[in-house]
Amino acid sequence: PLPPLHSTSLFGAMGQAVPASIASSEMPQSSSSSSSWNTGAIVEHGMPPGVRLEDAELDGVLFTEKAIFACPLPAKAWIELGRWNPVSLIFLVPAWSYHVSGPADHWWFVARSSNHMYYYTAQFCQDEQGNNHVAGAAFLGKWAAIASGLQYAEANWWYAREWAPCSFSRTKRDLDRLLFANPAVKHPYSWVDNNCQHFAVGMYEGNPDHIV
């Protein structure tokens, strides 16, 4: 049987802990990275009231565009330095590690409605027990979609993939289903070859049965 999901502290692409504020749309089983948004009145893991939306608040909302957001991991400088040490260079670690696992950044998938009001984020990581953790959540406004994936306060973010039309207009229920159908979720999390970047790309492009 597959190990269960957990909504405790999560881990980012290289094992960095992130709070459970992004954990929603929990499903019964999974196969087996965010800081508080630094804005005045903070409640419930850094999100003001009413910003994270319940399913009932999304009746009739369709998500029509998709992108992938990215931000650096807290220990990115040390991770990159380790890749370029003399021993690593002997075995060409920088070349194959960038190709297989990508840069030391956290990626998360984002979809939005045509009026750019509603946003859905999907993230993949590893919990403290070493189990896969997948999370999907809907938010009101782009800033909340960004904040849900930031790895530390005041981190920069950018587009790993630009906005593009979804293959079909999707409801939140559709997105939740595709999140758990993602091929990355069916295998143990690995920072080398099955991490948040593989997951996000799998929702954005690739197999037509799995992309948004």
Side-chain angles (χ1 to χ4, degrees):
L2 302 176
L5 285 170
H6 299 274
S7 58
T8 55
S9 293
L10 313 182
F11 284 76
M14 300 291 180
Q16 279 66 25
V18 300
S21 60
I22 60 171
S24 74
S25 303
E26 302 243 359
M27 301 296 184
Q29 302 283 330
S30 173
S31 65
S32 328
S33 300
S34 146
S35 64
S36 295
W37 188 251
N38 190 16
T39 60
I42 302 298
V43 299
E44 192 180 357
H45 306 296
M47 291 291 178
V51 172
R52 199 173 85 180
L53 303 172
E54 302 297 330
D55 287 5
E57 299 176 90
L58 295 163
D59 287 345
V61 174
L62 293 175
F63 296 88
T64 59
E65 295 179 285
K66 58 187 177 181
I68 297 176
F69 292 2
C71 75
L73 293 171
K76 177 171 182 172
W78 292 106
I79 295 169
E80 300 293 0
L81 180 63
R83 280 172 154 165
W84 291 93
N85 69 62
V87 175
S88 296
L89 289 171
I90 292 173
F91 295 100
L92 302 179
V93 169
W96 65 257
S97 67
Y98 281 109
H99 177 73
V100 175
S101 60
D105 302 317
H106 176 59
W107 291 13
W108 64 108
F109 175 85
V110 183
R112 69 183 179 187
S113 59
S114 58
N115 62 3
H116 301 181
M117 181 180 297
Y118 300 99
Y119 287 77
Y120 178 94
T121 67
Q123 306 193 52
F124 176 58
C125 48
Q126 188 179 61
D127 69 15
E128 292 173 324
Q129 289 71 46
N131 298 318
N132 284 5
H133 188 107
V134 286
F139 298 99
L140 191 63
K142 181 179 179 179
W143 73 267
I146 296 169
S148 72
L150 292 182
Q151 296 294 289
Y152 55 92
E154 301 174 357
N156 294 323
W157 74 276
W158 60 90
Y159 288 106
R161 296 289 189 277
E162 296 287 344
W163 291 110
C166 295
S167 55
F168 299 96
S169 297
R170 306 288 192 181
T171 64
K172 181 179 182 294
R173 184 179 294 274
D174 293 333
L175 295 173
D176 289 340
R177 176 181 56 80
L178 289 168
L179 177 141
F180 285 93
N182 189 296
V185 176
K186 302 181 185 303
H187 302 282
Y189 179 96
S190 166
W191 74 267
V192 175
D193 59 7
N194 193 43
N195 60 39
C196 63
Q197 298 180 21
H198 302 94
F199 169 82
V201 170
M203 294 196 71
Y204 184 90
E205 62 193 23
N207 189 324
D209 294 334
H210 300 138
I211 64 173
V212 172

